[in-house]
Amino acid sequence: MGALAPASPGRDGITIEGVGLASIQGDIRFVEAARLMGAQITGEANRLHIRRGRWPLQAIELDCNHIPDAAMTLAVMALYADGTTTLRNIASWRVKETDRIVAMATECRKLGATVEEGADFIRITPPATPAHWRAASIHTYDDHRVAMCFSLAAFNPASLPVRIEDPKCVAKTFPDYFEALFDVCQADAARIPVICIDGPTASGKGTLAAEVAQRLGYHLLDSGALYRLVGLAAGKAGLSTAEDDLRQPDQAQRLGTLAAGLQVRFDGPRIWLDSVEVSDALRSEVAGMAASRVSAVPEVRAALLTLQHGFRRLPGLVADGRDMGTVIFPDAPLKVYLTASAEQRAQRRYKQLISKGIAANIDSLLADLEKRDHRDSSRAHAPLKPAEDALQLDNSGLDVEQSVQQVLNWWQGKTVFSGN
Ligand SMILES: Nc1ncnc2c1ncn2[C@@H]1O[C@H](COP(=O)(O)OP(=O)(O)O)[C@@H](O)[C@H]1O
Ligand SMILES: Nc1ccn([C@H]2C[C@H](O)[C@@H](COP(=O)(O)OP(=O)(O)O)O2)c(=O)n1
């Protein structure tokens, strides 16, 4: 990676701890091969520092008998070389997790390379120009090394997306490989995919968003939780969230300052405010109502903007709320506006509360819900409404799985991989 990625402000190459030039592992000789291709590698006994050197990389012809497994990475590095690379003496690739010569050849071709394969060699000529690269959905053959190697194709000069079909197959040797990869990569936020799910209360946004995020391996933003947190923090700080008070400019200002300084921590569905876990307190109907009131204050909305944008991280985000598609992520490639009849929603909330052992009354739930819908959609700033390019999903007659499938189908149709 260090050999492929150009230096950027504050970042010049990659340092690997725990393996160094004194390593007795056979694969350390991969360093020699990477240097032959142009990587600048320096190091100490237990550390390596890799920088981009020659660029494009130097095409090589190499007997790989001494590094049979690590040489697979050279095959993908060959896509960035100036000319044709030949890796020889790799007959053992044929009898590993899969026939790795076939696998590497097939997947390199998908990306636009010209590949020749023989009984014990592979010869790779990269795409002639950036315009010859192709977006590709990489089949992983249940082979961890195939999945990891081809992640390097994401640095392609055409900035085309690359999909790794079964990223979890890396579990065999490096379960958090992709997390580690994303930690050291910088991506232009505008290129990180976002799916927005907006809609009224109890339409099932949170359930749908969490499930879609889980299936795609994306991050999750429950933006409503942030407004709930502001309501809760205001209560703790003794600040009123009554509508009349919030109309006073100095009270609105105080709430904005409070929102900007929120000390929150998220860990999956668990949330802490000032080091105190508030996950359950946040879900109460009272917290929802307070959230609805504070969310009408422009100073609060402005204060939460940067925090929300910060959730747009690799490999992607599913964001649920009221204004995800209209205000926060207007460039999102997929926006879903989720609805269900008010009666259905009240029923769902009722069942949800009862199942948690919380007493509830269906008539007052319906009344509260209609009041919240009205306030959320009639406020001046970022009101609840479908984005112009949102796809509407009325899930009154659908179960959760059907709604999830609908959104995943829409997403598949939006990606460049839909034909793959
Ligand atoms: N399509 C659906 N069909 C039936 N029940 C659903 C559906 N989607 C969500 N629910 C249920 O409705 C309740 C409210 O969903 P939730 O995701 O909390 O809504 P929101 O985030 O929009 O307030 C949950 O108990 C959830 O399991
Ligand atoms: N993006 C958002 C998300 C929530 N809000 C406000 C309006 C909502 O009534 C409250 C609570 O939102 P939340 O999504 O947690 O509520 P529900 O789960 O839909 O009942 O926050 C908002 O104004 N903008």
Side-chain angles (χ1 to χ4, degrees):
M1 270 190 60
L4 301 185
S8 57
R11 205 176 272 262
D12 180 17
I14 298 232
T15 301
I16 303 173
E17 305 279 355
V19 62
L21 297 174
S23 171
I24 52 163
Q25 275 196 21
D27 276 349
I28 192 65
R29 295 193 62 196
F30 176 78
V31 167
E32 295 162 17
R35 278 182 179 146
L36 281 178
M37 294 193 82
Q40 270 189 18
I41 306 179
T42 52
E44 293 142 42
N46 207 24
R47 177 182 302 147
L48 293 173
H49 188 62
I50 301 110
R51 267 193 225 100
R52 190 195 258 200
R54 186 188 195 282
W55 194 258
L57 293 175
Q58 170 77 51
I60 56 170
E61 173 137 6
L62 189 71
D63 182 326
C64 299
N65 196 29
H66 57 303
I67 46 166
D69 294 339
M72 289 169 73
T73 307
L74 299 175
V76 183
M77 288 170 72
L79 299 172
Y80 300 97
D82 196 2
T84 300
T85 288
T86 306
L87 305 177
R88 296 193 183 284
N89 213 347
I90 53 167
S92 66
W93 282 20
R94 296 247 182 233
V95 291
K96 296 285 180 153
E97 276 75 350
T98 181
D99 182 334
R100 286 175 163 171
I101 295 188
V102 172
M104 297 307 284
T106 308
E107 304 309 311
C108 283
R109 283 188 193 113
K110 282 187 192 166
L111 290 158
T114 305
V115 186
E116 196 188 324
E117 50 182 295
D120 67 347
F121 75 90
I122 188 166
R123 182 170 291 132
I124 299 165
T125 307
T129 68
H132 289 80
W133 278 80
R134 298 277 167 267
S137 184
I138 302 295
H139 187 67
T140 36
Y141 308 85
D142 203 19
D143 185 340
H144 55 127
R145 282 196 186 259
V146 173
M148 292 192 274
C149 287
F150 278 98
S151 68
L152 298 180
F155 295 99
N156 68 78
S159 298
L160 289 168
V162 175
R163 171 182 282 173
I164 305 296
E165 286 176 8
D166 178 19
K168 292 201 171 75
C169 73
V170 299
K172 184 171 177 188
T173 47
F174 195 163
D176 55 353
Y177 171 76
F178 286 98
E179 287 76 6
L181 175 71
F182 297 142
D183 266 358
V184 293
C185 286
Q186 285 171 332
D188 178 1
R191 289 184 170 275
I192 300 177
V194 182
I195 300 176
C196 297
I197 300 180
D198 288 305
T201 181
S203 55
K205 303 178 300 297
T207 308
L208 178 62
E211 199 52 42
V212 170
Q214 211 270 331
R215 307 256 180 120
L216 294 174
Y218 282 8
H219 298 282
L220 179 67
L221 167 59
D222 169 7
S223 62
L226 302 179
Y227 293 94
R228 289 172 183 260
L229 280 161
V230 175
L232 205 67
K236 285 189 176 177
L239 290 176
S240 164
T241 60
E243 273 175 298
D244 285 346
D245 293 333
L246 291 177
R247 274 192 275 275
Q248 305 302 321
D250 50 345
Q251 180 70 354
Q253 197 62 55
R254 275 194 284 275
L255 253 283
T257 307
L258 178 97
L262 277 186
Q263 293 298 317
V264 292
R265 185 161 74 82
F266 295 86
D267 183 6
R270 300 176 66 189
I271 305 176
W272 287 261
L273 174 64
D274 296 327
S275 311
V276 178
E277 187 171 355
V278 291
S279 318
D280 287 339
L282 280 186
R283 297 317 323 163
S284 75
E285 290 306 293
V286 175
M289 270 297 184
S292 175
R293 292 193 300 275
V294 301
S295 69
V297 177
E299 286 83 347
V300 170
R301 303 202 76 83
L304 295 180
L305 196 67
T306 314
L307 185 59
Q308 295 178 83
H309 284 162
F311 280 78
R312 191 171 192 170
R313 295 195 307 268
L314 288 169
L317 174 67
V318 183
D320 101 66
R322 303 291 186 284
D323 62 341
M324 297 297 98
T326 50
V327 176
I328 308 295
F329 302 111
D331 61 335
L334 176 61
K335 300 172 186 175
V336 177
Y337 191 80
L338 191 67
T339 53
S341 68
E343 289 70 23
Q344 280 270 1
R345 291 187 282 127
Q347 278 289 350
R348 287 177 187 173
R349 191 63 94 213
Y350 179 76
K351 284 192 196 147
Q352 196 179 27
L353 292 171
I354 295 292
S355 74
K356 284 188 194 159
I358 302 170
N361 171 297
I362 190 108
D363 293 330
S364 70
L365 277 176
L366 182 61
D368 276 5
L369 178 149
E370 286 176 332
K371 194 168 158 195
R372 189 126 76 92
D373 283 356
H374 178 259
R375 188 188 302 110
D376 291 348
S377 46
S378 62
R379 69 186 178 215
H381 295 273
L384 167 66
K385 64 171 185 190
E388 275 176 21
D389 50 349
L391 298 173
Q392 304 245 2
L393 179 58
D394 183 332
N395 67 2
S396 305
L398 303 179
D399 63 20
V400 175
E401 184 54 29
Q402 288 168 321
S403 307
V404 170
Q405 280 310 324
Q406 176 62 77
V407 174
L408 291 176
N409 287 345
W410 278 335
W411 184 236
Q412 176 67 11
K414 290 273 178 191
T415 66
V416 291
F417 308 110
S418 49
N420 272 288

